[in-house]
Amino acid sequence: MALKLYGTAMSTCTSRVLTCFHEKSVDFELVPVDLFAGEHKQPPFLAKNPFGQIPALEDGDLTLFGKL
């Protein structure tokens, strides 16, 4: 099962995670989050990251997120 990274490639924080994944040849799926439409503040995304920030990482039942 591949990791799911929620974010946008234009985001500095998401880019850091993407760089690590590429360096380590990790199998992942980038799930785009439309920040301009406010998708990161909608209930489906807030269930993954209650702070409403990107990125968020899902690995099966485990979800990781950060707070700046």
Side-chain angles (χ1 to χ4, degrees):
M1 171 187 250
L3 298 171
K4 286 187 179 181
L5 179 63
Y6 293 85
T8 178
M10 299 298 288
S11 161
T12 305
C13 295
T14 304
S15 294
R16 289 178 184 167
V17 178
L18 289 171
T19 300
C20 292
F21 283 174
H22 285 294
E23 284 181 353
K24 298 294 183 180
S25 299
V26 173
D27 185 28
F28 70 94
E29 173 189 353
L30 178 60
V31 180
V33 176
D34 188 353
L35 299 177
F36 295 110
E39 188 178 346
H40 61 300
K41 299 296 184 182
Q42 299 302 315
F45 185 79
L46 291 173
K48 296 172 189 3
N49 184 344
F51 298 115
Q53 297 179 338
I54 58 171
L57 176 66
E58 271 188 354
D59 183 11
D61 294 335
L62 176 66
T63 302
L64 301 175
F65 57 86
K67 171 77 171 110
L68 295 177

